[in-house]
Amino acid sequence: MPKLSYAEIARIEERRLALGTAAVVACAEPIAGGWMAFDGEGSWGNFAAGLGLDGPVSSEELDRLVAFYTTRGAEPQIQVCPFAHESLLRGLAERGFVLREFENVLARELAPDEDLRALTRGGPGGLEIVRVDPADDAQVRVFIEVSTSGFRPEGEPITPALFDITRRVVAHRGSDAYLALVDGEPAGGGCVEISGEGATLFGASVLPRFRERGIQQALIVRRLERVRERGCGLACISASPGIPTERNAMRLGFFMAYSKGVFVQCSENSQRPT
């Protein structure tokens, strides 16, 4: 059993998510114990998180959330933790928000003396995982191209919005980016952000020709080592239910901590009901 309760894990991770996203987007404001973030059309950074963990969420705060997005021409979107106050879900329903998808949050506690490398076979021969230097523009560009490859159709070029926010993530002082090389050739990459009591592993992809060779697991282990190096004892991974990332994480000792809902406001319900 984990030392922390599921509710404690959720509070740590949701606050990290809210603060971490706010730090890398163009515009963000605190609200109801969390943050709402906006980064422009096409960016994944257009959502609110961390609301309702400290108590009720008022009607005025939810109206402000809706206005924050609609005045910028964006769809209001919010991630809702199961431990948030019930007033949050009630207020969202009154404003026409609907569930778009679920996201699972897996967690793992780290022991100081655990041999993390023993968890995996280490990947293919010639594998090297290097920390990306944010000041090395060429290396950063390679990392962005490889690490975002799993978040767009194969062969499709990276969008400016995705490139820009990923570059800001790499430069963020709380983040570390890792590039996987096989015989010197870029094969995959992923990030880790460490903030306070918690850390999260995110933004990882492996190029199609290098998949099913243990590279993703090796990237997870190297980032877990970084979490421990930074004196943090809790790591999380968020993933859509059933995808390979979830399976790889559970093989390496992660457990299901909680599921959360991603809610959006339908355009026809953009005005608060009277």
Side-chain angles (χ1 to χ4, degrees):
M1 291 292 293
K3 295 178 182 178
L4 296 170
S5 71
Y6 295 135
E8 289 171 323
I9 292 170
R11 288 185 173 90
I12 291 170
E13 169 57 14
E14 294 303 303
R15 287 182 172 129
R16 183 220 54 80
L17 171 65
L19 285 168
T21 304
V24 298
V25 297
C27 177
E29 295 180 11
I31 180 171
W35 284 79
M36 47 190 180
F38 176 75
D39 197 50
E41 183 178 357
S43 173
W44 56 257
N46 301 330
F47 67 94
L51 280 71
L53 292 172
D54 296 323
V57 180
S58 70
S59 293
E60 292 75 18
E61 287 170 315
L62 288 175
D63 288 342
R64 184 161 69 90
L65 181 142
V66 171
F68 178 84
Y69 290 102
T70 57
T71 57
R72 291 169 171 82
E75 175 186 62
Q77 181 178 139
I78 179 172
Q79 297 188 12
V80 179
C81 167
F83 301 100
H85 193 272
E86 62 183 17
S87 59
L88 176 57
L89 274 179
R90 185 169 59 246
L92 292 175
E94 291 170 353
R95 288 159 180 79
F97 279 77
V98 297
L99 177 66
R100 171 168 287 174
E101 61 186 355
F102 289 106
E103 190 168 288
N104 290 340
V105 179
L106 300 103
R108 193 188 198 285
E109 293 174 324
L110 301 172
D113 57 351
E114 182 180 6
D115 182 3
L116 294 170
R117 297 201 179 190
L119 296 170
T120 176
R121 291 174 293 178
L127 175 65
E128 181 185 15
I129 297 179
V130 299
R131 187 176 166 197
V132 175
D133 179 359
D136 185 335
D137 186 67
Q139 188 185 48
V140 169
R141 287 179 176 273
V142 170
F143 169 79
I144 293 174
E145 184 68 32
V146 172
S147 67
T148 63
S149 62
F151 301 95
R152 48 195 165 92
E154 187 174 351
E156 183 175 297
I158 187 171
T159 65
L162 181 56
F163 182 92
D164 290 344
I165 194 169
T166 308
R167 186 166 194 154
R168 277 180 252 132
V169 166
V170 174
H172 179 42
R173 64 181 182 179
S175 296
D176 290 296
Y178 288 89
L179 183 63
L181 306 171
V182 176
D183 296 325
E185 183 179 356
C191 287
V192 57
E193 187 199 9
I194 303 162
S195 177
E197 300 176 82
T200 193
L201 282 55
F202 68 102
S205 295
V206 175
L207 294 176
R209 65 182 179 278
F210 292 105
R211 290 175 187 165
E212 299 184 1
R213 296 171 65 181
I215 294 174
Q216 190 185 78
Q217 289 191 5
L219 278 166
I220 291 174
V221 167
R222 181 63 191 94
R223 288 177 290 164
L224 286 177
E225 289 178 329
R226 182 58 174 165
V227 173
R228 192 166 62 185
E229 288 166 7
R230 294 275 299 273
C232 186
L234 174 69
C236 291
I237 292 178
S238 295
S240 298
I243 69 170
T245 296
E246 183 181 76
R247 296 193 296 272
N248 278 313
M250 296 186 82
R251 290 186 187 119
L252 297 177
F254 283 78
F255 58 87
M256 173 72 77
Y258 60 99
S259 292
K260 59 183 176 179
V262 178
F263 290 81
V264 297
Q265 187 186 52
C266 298
S267 58
E268 61 268 25
N269 294 315
S270 59
Q271 300 298 317
R272 179 185 173 185
T274 57

